[in-house]
Amino acid sequence: MNATPDRYFAEPRLAELYDSFSWHRRDFDFYLPLLMSAERVLDVGCGTGELLHLAREAGHGGQLCGLDPAEAMLEQARRRSDVEWFRGDLSTVDWSGAFDLVVMTGHAFQVLVGDDELRDALRAIHRALAAGGRFAFETRNPLARAWEHWTPEHASEVVFRGSLVRMETRVETPVTGERVSFTHTFSSPDWDGAETSRSTLRFLNVESLTALLTESGFVIEEQFGDWERQPLSEASPEIITIARRG
């Protein structure tokens, strides 16, 4: 699984592992230029803050803010003190016209599984954006059926501080709708036992996503099917969206 949502790594030991499992972030190559062209940026679900760290290292001189509910992730993020870090989610903050760009990376948008949760989040993002501000995010294209590869045979392994750590993913039940529930199991020969996390993601199709964005006051500017900015098609692995506050 590419760019695993941060909440699976909320435990302190796993938070330290996050960047090791996510070292090949092709999405950062897409998002970083957007950050560099915006004066005030909010990263929702920022995790360890790596994208905001990269923006500062690339010379971003404006306001950079990261928002994440996991304290363990923010402890890693706070390695840089020249970024503002906030613990919580979109239901716990109330920014008004504060940002020129809001991003959600790592498929974090898919963690919003309920209709009300999605609408509330989109309204909060719309409210946080200044006039003409943009919201950039991605969600996996359900037609690509990525979950079919979430099996132990496709496990990931990294060496972290001299120990081999393995991450296995299993889909819990047959997928019949938009929601996919699964478990991640992390294990190492050097650990006393494995750690397991469970989550559910929502796979919205293009039509449903467009309707939600429009209803929330956004105008879609661009959509792409992969990180190389190829046109969106039925076979595309991603639905990458840049939407403007209307």
Side-chain angles (χ1 to χ4, degrees), residues 16-156:
E16 293 183 27
L17 281 167
Y18 178 72
D19 289 330
S20 296
F21 273 109
S22 305
W23 67 271
H24 186 54
R25 292 292 299 266
R26 295 164 58 207
D27 57 333
F28 283 1
D29 293 334
F30 177 91
Y31 285 112
L32 186 58
L34 296 176
L35 268 67
M36 299 305 294
S37 65
E39 180 67 20
R40 302 172 298 168
V41 179
L42 171 65
D43 185 351
V44 177
C46 65
T48 63
E50 185 62 20
L51 179 59
L52 299 177
H53 293 178
L54 289 173
R56 277 287 186 246
E57 291 166 7
H60 194 289
Q63 182 183 17
L64 297 176
C65 298
L67 175 69
D68 199 276
E71 179 61 28
M73 300 297 281
L74 290 176
E75 286 182 8
Q76 303 299 312
R78 292 188 186 110
R79 289 173 293 167
R80 289 197 73 108
S81 59
D82 53 0
V83 176
E84 298 176 69
W85 306 108
F86 297 89
R87 183 181 179 185
D89 56 33
L90 289 166
S91 68
T92 63
V93 294
D94 188 19
W95 284 297
S96 179
F99 301 101
D100 305 304
L101 175 70
V102 174
V103 297
M104 290 184 76
T105 71
H107 301 110
F109 185 80
Q110 290 186 253
V111 177
L112 305 169
V113 296
D115 289 344
D116 290 342
E117 186 180 17
L118 271 165
R119 290 187 173 93
D120 288 346
L122 288 172
R123 281 193 290 264
I125 292 168
H126 188 275
R127 189 166 55 249
L129 285 168
R134 296 191 295 173
F135 173 37
F137 68 101
E138 85 284 339
T139 180
R140 296 178 183 87
N141 183 359
L143 297 178
R145 303 179 66 84
W147 60 84
E148 293 181 348
H149 298 280
W150 297 354
T151 63
E153 290 76 18
H154 294 89
S156 300

Side-chain angles (χ1 to χ4, degrees), residues 177-199:
E178 295 180 337
R179 294 169 177 79
V180 179
S181 296
F182 56 95
T183 58
H184 279 323
T185 300
F186 301 87
S187 60
S188 171
D190 299 321
W191 292 2
D192 293 335
E195 294 195 29
T196 300
S197 66
R198 179 187 183 278
S199 193

